[in-house]
Amino acid sequence: MNYKMILQYDGSRYSGWQVQGNTEQTIQGKLQSVLEKMTGEEIEIHGSGRTDAGVHAMGQVANFKLQSAYEPEEIKRYCNQYLPEDIVVLEVSEVPLRFHSRLNAVKKTYCYRIFLGEKPDVFRRKYVTPVAENLNINKMKAAAEVLLGTHDFTSFCGNRHFKKSAVRTIYEIRIEEKKDELDISFTGNGFLQNMVRILTGTLLEVGTGKREVREMKEILEGRNRSLAGPVAAAKGLVLINVEYE
């Protein structure tokens, strides 16, 4: 049996999605531990993407296979009973054996939330990155336009030793200004390690006047990580949803 799971989590106290040998504080590790206790089977759960340490998710998708059949609601109920309160399973469903949450994904949307000021309120502090400087939103939107389409995003990859193709397609970058917050949403067919956070860091440099809009094309064509801006803090990033055919 192959099961698809949609879940959300507050990534504040976790070392990212992927299981690591030096810590038990990973989302994948917590899920596998609970499912193994429930089923008595060795579980490997695959996520649609490996969110970094401190990154949150509203609609992460994962799948796992079991030798025995369980009702999806039974799995959901058990997980939510024994998982930590900052991880919640929203939905479980049976899917074809060939379904893979990462390999079959066709679109992902991330949102980066920026607090426009020095000090966000207590209840938002874990989920926004404060920027006290004035931002030129129009220049940021113009720079974002350059990033749309299919490009080699090597300059925006946090893994300098990445050997596979860095070509990705960004379908939309939406920049929305609210009362005291700026939300930057990225929709694409996939993202490299730290890619959304580096894109955000670079767009913020444009917004604060540290970089010109015309430089975005040069950064893309240069295919060199040192050309792009800094990695924006993890806490402002959330995986919104994952789409499939």
Side-chain angles (χ1 to χ4, degrees), residues 14 19 56 68 151 192 213 234:
Y14 294 98
V19 167
H56 318 290
S68 305
H151 305 283
L192 304 166
V213 173

Side-chain angles (χ1 to χ4, degrees), residues 28-204:
Q28 184 185 33
K30 295 294 183 185
L31 287 165
Q32 288 178 176
S33 177
V34 169
L35 287 167
E36 286 173 357
K37 285 177 183 175
M38 176 184 179
T39 64
E41 299 181 27
E42 188 174 335
I43 306 291
E44 183 178 9
I45 187 164
H46 303 279
S48 69
R50 298 171 180 174
T51 50
D52 300 331
V55 173
H56 318 290
M58 289 181 65
Q60 172 71 287
V61 179
N63 76 288
F64 57 95
K65 294 180 180 177
L66 297 177
Q67 295 299 318
S68 305
Y70 288 83
E71 287 296 321
E73 275 301 310
E74 181 184 3
I75 296 172
K76 175 185 170 183
R77 194 163 50 247
Y78 187 94
C79 286
N80 285 334
Q81 182 176 352
Y82 293 104
L83 281 169
E85 289 184 338
D86 48 12
I87 305 174
V88 174
V89 176
L90 301 174
E91 182 183 318
V92 178
S93 58
E94 295 178 24
V95 286
L97 284 174
R98 294 184 66 178
F99 174 83
H100 191 287
S101 57
R102 179 175 58 84
L103 299 177
N104 295 141
V106 294
K107 274 187 185 180
K108 295 178 186 176
T109 297
Y110 284 87
C111 180
Y112 198 94
R113 299 175 63 197
I114 297 158
F115 177 76
L116 300 172
E118 292 184 3
K119 199 81 171 174
D121 67 71
V122 168
F123 300 104
R124 291 160 66 195
R125 73 191 190 284
K126 294 182 180 179
Y127 314 108
V128 293
T129 297
V131 174
E133 300 164 86
N134 291 327
L135 295 174
N136 187 321
I137 309 300
N138 289 331
K139 282 192 173 182
M140 291 177 71
K141 289 180 177 180
E145 285 285 329
V146 180
L147 300 166
L148 297 178
T150 302
H151 305 283
D152 184 318
F153 284 97
T154 297
S155 295
F156 298 94
C157 179
N159 182 357
R160 295 175 188 268
H161 305 291
F162 190 70
K163 300 296 183 185
K164 298 178 183 178
S165 171
V167 174
R168 298 290 187 275
T169 301
I170 296 182
Y171 302 112
E172 182 182 23
I173 301 176
R174 193 169 64 254
I175 301 177
E176 296 179 286
E177 190 174 7
K178 301 177 181 178
K179 187 174 83 171
D180 59 359
E181 185 174 307
L182 187 71
D183 291 352
I184 309 177
S185 299
F186 300 84
T187 299
N189 65 353
F191 296 92
L192 304 166
Q193 183 178 341
N194 296 152
M195 180 172 159
V196 175
R197 292 165 61 195
I198 298 170
L199 288 168
T200 300
T202 309
L203 289 173
L204 283 172

